[in-house]
Amino acid sequence: MATVSERFLWGRQEGRIRHWSVFVGGFAGVVSALLLVALLGSGSGESLTYDVLLPASLFYAPPVISAVSTFRGGGLLVSLAVGVVPAISFGAVSVVRQLVAGGSSSDAPLWAVVVGFGLIGVVGSVVGFLAGRGVSKFIEG
């Protein structure tokens, strides 16, 4: 039987691995695919990708996914992982782009951008975690 603090950190015991793979792994796959399209692609759908999908996946999705994960029984660590997924995916895709295209095309160092995205994602995911906990407590009674 899990204590309150273990459940707070890890979430429900049943289906924990599936929960991590669906929320963290699935989100990582979607964000990485969008980043690959945005950073490596040069097609006609760039304005939609750059203007709508990329900001939504990098900044607006972590709080929502974190809240849904928490409502479905996930813990704080799942939410924090969801928060850092966009930053890690951006760093990995940027490194691949630099290896393929050669050289850096940005003014800021990559580590600073990754840390900035990570901080924004973690703050958003903590807000989403707290919102998910609040909604689940409200529904439970």
Side-chain angles (χ1 to χ4, degrees), residues 33-34 36-39 41-55:
L34 284 173
L36 282 171
V37 167
L39 293 177
S42 58
S44 61
E46 280 188 28
S47 67
L48 174 70
T49 304
Y50 281 116
D51 296 339
V52 178
L53 296 177
L54 200 56

Side-chain angles (χ1 to χ4, degrees), residues 30-40 54 57-58 86 89-91 93:
V30 169
V31 169
S32 296
L34 284 173
L35 285 169
L36 282 171
V37 167
L39 293 177
L40 297 178
L54 200 56
S57 67
L58 289 176
S89 297
F90 180 81
V93 170

Side-chain angles (χ1 to χ4, degrees), residues 15-95:
R16 185 177 293 161
I17 294 172
R18 184 174 186 275
H19 190 88
W20 274 81
S21 64
V22 167
F23 284 98
V24 178
F27 184 50
V30 169
V31 169
S32 296
L34 284 173
L35 285 169
L36 282 171
V37 167
L39 293 177
L40 297 178
S42 58
S44 61
E46 280 188 28
S47 67
L48 174 70
T49 304
Y50 281 116
D51 296 339
V52 178
L53 296 177
L54 200 56
S57 67
L58 289 176
F59 304 117
Y60 307 129
V64 174
I65 291 174
S66 177
V68 171
S69 168
T70 304
F71 182 74
R72 297 282 314 237
L76 180 62
L77 295 178
V78 174
S79 293
L80 292 176
V82 165
V84 297
V85 159
I88 293 172
S89 297
F90 180 81
V93 170
S94 295
V95 167

